[in-house]
Amino acid sequence: MFKLPNGIPTNRTSAQDWADYAEYHAILHGNVNLFTLTKPSRMISDEDDIMGIDDDSDRYLQKIDEISSEILYRIRAGENLYPFQLEDNDYNLHYIAKSEYSVVVYPYLLLATRANMSKDRIKENIDGSLLFEHLCSLVVKNYFGFRAEVDILGTSKEDSKSFREKLRGITKLLGEGGDIHERPGHKPQDDNVDVIVWKGFKDKQPSKMIAFGQCKTGTSWSDRLSELNTEAFCKTWFSSQPVLTPIRMFFTAQYFPKEIFHVRAYEAGLVFDRFRILDYLPEELDQDIIIKMVTWTDAIRVHYMN
């Protein structure tokens, strides 16, 4: 997994990683040639001394075709929210505004994946990870549809409300869960639940669809897919158990690996990766979140170029 600003994929790196790398350079320069972009990988490949020249060239061309195929898949999946187009026999990647949101949301998701989200997530007083939680809350509300309600449980150091206070407020809105156990020996920040969505009825009675979601930026999340246990969360914190056990959701700014999608999804639950987030992006976004995504993305880009 390459990371910005200095990471360079190798010949062994997946086409999905390479596509991210190509997109980043296309954003910086307006366009990028896949042949030119991938040349440095040949210099650092540990196989060049072993493989024959012809064989190595074949592998190099095969990798470029894999990257091109991955980008073509993204063009179909992202439609007018994917701000790139392939030209010149699918070997030149161009950065273009296909829609207003395409040059706002996608660059943000790309950099929220490839930036160092431990060290660099806060720029211009905007926490890129908390911003992702807000975006996910809008997406999942749109996914659940008419009369769905959503709240964010994740807390930051600047948040005036504690985890217990926020959870108690959510259960009152939710109409299930009863009171909150204090659990004084336990000091969670969010206990692996960042977003809660539910879809209730006018009768205000229990027995409704509820879902808990975990949100992850960066690339170091594959070993954390099964962290969220909704049944255990409810038993730990709720004095009265919901009629229906909440379903699990997993949000990631990265793509979900296509080759092992089923395996990873069984661990994660209902998956919202980068392209599923685009799939259910609301038609209208609040101006505040647009400004924050643009500001954070520009600040990260400038930080890595300096």
Side-chain angles (χ1 to χ4, degrees):
M1 292 286 185
F2 82 91
K3 300 297 288 185
L4 298 175
N6 299 316
I8 300 177
T10 71
N11 283 340
R12 292 184 176 183
T13 302
S14 73
Q16 291 173 321
D17 279 12
W18 267 111
D20 276 12
Y21 188 68
E23 290 165 358
Y24 175 68
H25 283 273
I27 289 172
L28 292 184
H29 307 294
N31 63 83
V32 66
N33 180 277
L34 298 184
F35 285 97
T36 303
L37 183 75
T38 54
K39 276 184 179 178
S41 72
R42 303 183 75 189
M43 304 294 291
I44 61 176
S45 172
D46 58 2
E47 296 183 8
D48 282 355
D49 293 335
I50 302 172
M51 308 297 292
I53 295 175
D54 292 338
D55 193 20
D56 184 63
S57 296
D58 288 343
R59 289 168 62 87
Y60 173 59
L61 293 173
Q62 180 183 350
K63 178 61 70 176
I64 292 173
D65 286 337
E66 289 173 0
I67 299 166
S68 177
S69 295
E70 170 64 23
I71 293 171
L72 287 170
Y73 165 81
R74 295 181 178 203
I75 290 171
R76 293 190 296 271
E79 297 180 335
N80 70 333
L81 290 171
Y82 183 70
F84 302 95
Q85 190 63 51
L86 279 172
E87 297 179 2
D88 302 325
N89 295 316
D90 296 337
Y91 293 129
N92 277 318
L93 185 66
H94 292 259
Y95 180 54
I96 58 173
K98 294 181 182 177
S99 65
E100 176 190 357
Y101 292 162
S102 67
V103 290
V104 174
V105 180
Y106 195 89
Y108 161 71
L109 291 173
L110 176 64
L111 291 182
T113 299
R114 295 300 171 180
N116 185 330
M117 295 303 284
S118 296
K119 183 170 65 74
D120 299 329
R121 75 176 190 277
I122 299 177
K123 289 285 178 283
E124 298 294 325
N125 295 317
I126 299 170
D127 188 319
S129 292
L130 292 181
L131 185 57
F132 183 62
E133 292 177 9
H134 284 276
L135 179 63
C136 292
S137 72
L138 299 176
V139 168
V140 77
K141 185 175 183 179
N142 193 39
Y143 177 79
F144 275 79
F146 180 60
R147 282 169 45 192
E149 298 180 74
V150 67
D151 212 327
I152 297 172
L153 183 58
T155 58
S156 66
K157 292 180 180 179
E158 294 77 22
D159 204 312
S160 60
K161 290 185 178 180
S162 68
F163 166 81
R164 291 168 179 80
E165 288 176 307
K166 293 188 75 171
L167 185 57
R168 185 172 284 111
I170 290 173
T171 56
K172 288 179 180 178
L173 295 172
L174 185 61
E176 296 196 52
D179 199 6
I180 299 300
H181 296 303
E182 285 299 322
R183 310 292 185 200
H186 189 27
K187 299 180 180 179
Q189 182 171 339
D190 55 36
D191 222 10
N192 298 320
V193 175
D194 299 308
V195 175
I196 297 179
V197 62
W198 64 95
K199 197 164 185 175
F201 298 86
K202 291 180 180 178
D203 61 17
K204 305 296 183 183
Q205 295 297 319
S207 181
K208 60 177 70 71
M209 177 69 76
I210 306 170
F212 294 167
Q214 189 175 19
C215 303
K216 293 294 182 186
T217 53
T219 57
S220 302
W221 47 260
S222 61
D223 60 345
R224 305 182 69 180
L225 288 171
S226 57
E227 279 185 341
L228 175 53
N229 184 326
T230 62
E231 182 178 3
F233 182 96
C234 291
K235 288 180 177 178
T236 299
W237 296 110
F238 295 166
S239 62
S240 175
Q241 298 306 299
V243 174
L244 301 176
T245 301
I247 64 173
R248 291 180 300 137
M249 304 181 296
F250 188 85
F251 298 84
T252 172
Q254 197 179 7
Y255 48 78
F256 218 63
K258 295 198 296 283
E259 297 81 3
I260 51 172
F261 196 101
H262 281 80
V263 176
R264 290 287 184 253
Y266 282 127
E267 296 179 81
L270 177 57
V271 172
F272 288 86
D273 69 352
R274 186 187 302 169
F275 289 91
R276 287 190 168 191
I277 287 171
L278 295 182
D279 195 4
Y280 274 90
L281 190 75
E283 291 186 6
E284 296 292 333
L285 288 175
D286 229 31
Q287 195 64 25
D288 179 62
I289 195 169
I290 292 174
I291 292 171
K292 285 181 177 178
M293 280 193 283
V294 171
T295 302
W296 186 86
T297 301
D298 286 348
I300 284 285
R301 190 166 52 196
V302 169
H303 176 69
Y304 285 156
M305 289 177 67
N306 289 339

